[in-house]
Amino acid sequence: MDEVATTCGIKLKVQLNDEGTMYQVISCNRDAKGEIVIPNTYNGLPITYIAESAFKNCDSITHISIPDSITGIGVAAFRDCDSLVSIKIPESVKEIGSCALADCGALISVKLPNSITTLSAGIFSDCSMLETIDIPSSITSIGFQAFSHCTSLKCVTLPDNLESIDQEAFVYCTSLDKVEFGNNVNDIGSGAFAYCESLVEVEFGGKVDFVGAKAFYNCKSLENVKISKIYI
């Protein structure tokens, strides 16, 4: 295990893989502040992965820039980064673990790459300041409680490639007022949009095969539902 300094002087701990070909970031000083720019190499070898909980509870970090050498981000990698406002994730990233950005209460802006196909369980849960998010066209599934309790999220446009929305994916998104579904959503899980109290309009772009129990439970402002074909 080695330490490497970022361009901002913040030290990260990195670990060499068994083959000796690449590094992963495994932790950061919990008192790190401000912006972090993760380097793309160390000792002439690429840094390719951000490990599980690597930045968890680094609650004074405000911005994170991830290099295009990174191909994966582990479970809860940035969880509870309370001051994190924005993060840029490059197209090189193919997988983002569950709860990777959960409980980031100051998070306003996220740029997601078109290289991922799944939004994992709890990935943005309890990001209470997140108002908008551009879901990439590559996404085919949204996991359990992926956006639960994102109480500032106002509008969601779901891409045409999206096929399934897991249980409680958007539960308690109390500011959400409009959802536009793509043409290929065929499975909406139980409670997916439950307690979205501000939700006024839902538009289905194509056929939906299954809508789970209480998918829109207690959406007491819901006025307009536009449906093509639906089987419940």
Side-chain angles (χ1 to χ4, degrees):
M1 190 186 312
D2 294 327
E3 284 191 338
V4 55
T6 70
T7 56
C8 309
I10 296 169
K11 290 184 178 180
L12 306 177
K13 287 186 178 180
V14 296
Q15 186 176 53
L16 189 64
N17 70 345
D18 292 340
E19 293 77 19
T21 57
M22 61 190 71
Y23 283 92
Q24 64 173 337
V25 178
I26 60 170
S27 69
C28 176
N29 293 339
R30 294 298 180 254
D31 58 354
K33 297 180 180 180
E35 181 179 7
I36 287 186
V37 179
I38 299 172
N40 57 10
T41 62
Y42 178 67
N43 281 347
L45 296 173
I47 299 174
T48 62
Y49 194 74
I50 299 172
E52 179 176 343
S53 301
F55 292 87
K56 186 178 180 181
N57 293 317
C58 290
D59 54 15
S60 296
I61 294 172
T62 57
H63 300 82
I64 296 173
S65 182
I66 298 173
D68 58 11
S69 61
I70 298 292
T71 59
I73 297 172
V75 171
F78 299 100
R79 188 167 193 167
D80 288 302
C81 289
D82 293 339
S83 300
L84 184 64
V85 174
S86 69
I87 184 168
K88 294 180 180 179
I89 301 174
E91 295 292 330
S92 57
V93 173
K94 303 295 191 294
E95 182 180 0
I96 303 174
S98 60
C99 298
L101 287 151
D103 300 294
C104 292
L107 189 66
I108 296 172
S109 173
V110 181
K111 179 172 173 51
L112 292 171
N114 276 300
S115 50
I116 59 173
T117 59
T118 299
L119 293 178
S120 301
I123 185 171
F124 293 109
S125 62
D126 289 284
C127 290
S128 57
M129 295 296 289
L130 187 64
E131 292 186 3
T132 61
I133 187 162
D134 291 327
I135 298 177
S137 59
S138 57
I139 295 296
T140 60
S141 64
I142 296 177
F144 174 69
Q145 293 191 349
F147 293 93
S148 69
H149 296 86
C150 288
T151 52
S152 296
L153 190 64
K154 293 181 178 179
C155 181
V156 171
T157 300
L158 302 172
D160 281 341
N161 286 327
L162 182 67
E163 297 175 359
S164 65
I165 300 170
D166 207 342
Q167 297 178 26
E168 301 180 6
F170 293 88
V171 69
Y172 285 106
C173 289
T174 52
S175 296
L176 188 64
D177 59 19
K178 185 176 182 181
V179 179
E180 295 182 7
F181 290 86
N183 292 323
N184 294 302
V185 175
N186 53 43
D187 190 338
I188 300 173
S190 301
F193 295 90
Y195 299 98
C196 292
E197 298 175 355
S198 300
L199 187 61
V200 175
E201 183 176 348
V202 175
E203 182 174 352
F204 294 96
K207 185 184 78 170
V208 178
D209 293 323
F210 176 80
V211 178
K214 299 184 178 181
F216 295 91
Y217 181 73
N218 207 37
C219 294
K220 54 191 177 184
S221 299
L222 189 59
E223 296 177 355
N224 301 310
V225 179
K226 298 179 182 179
I227 303 174
S228 174
K229 296 179 181 179
I230 185 164
Y231 302 95
I232 302 176

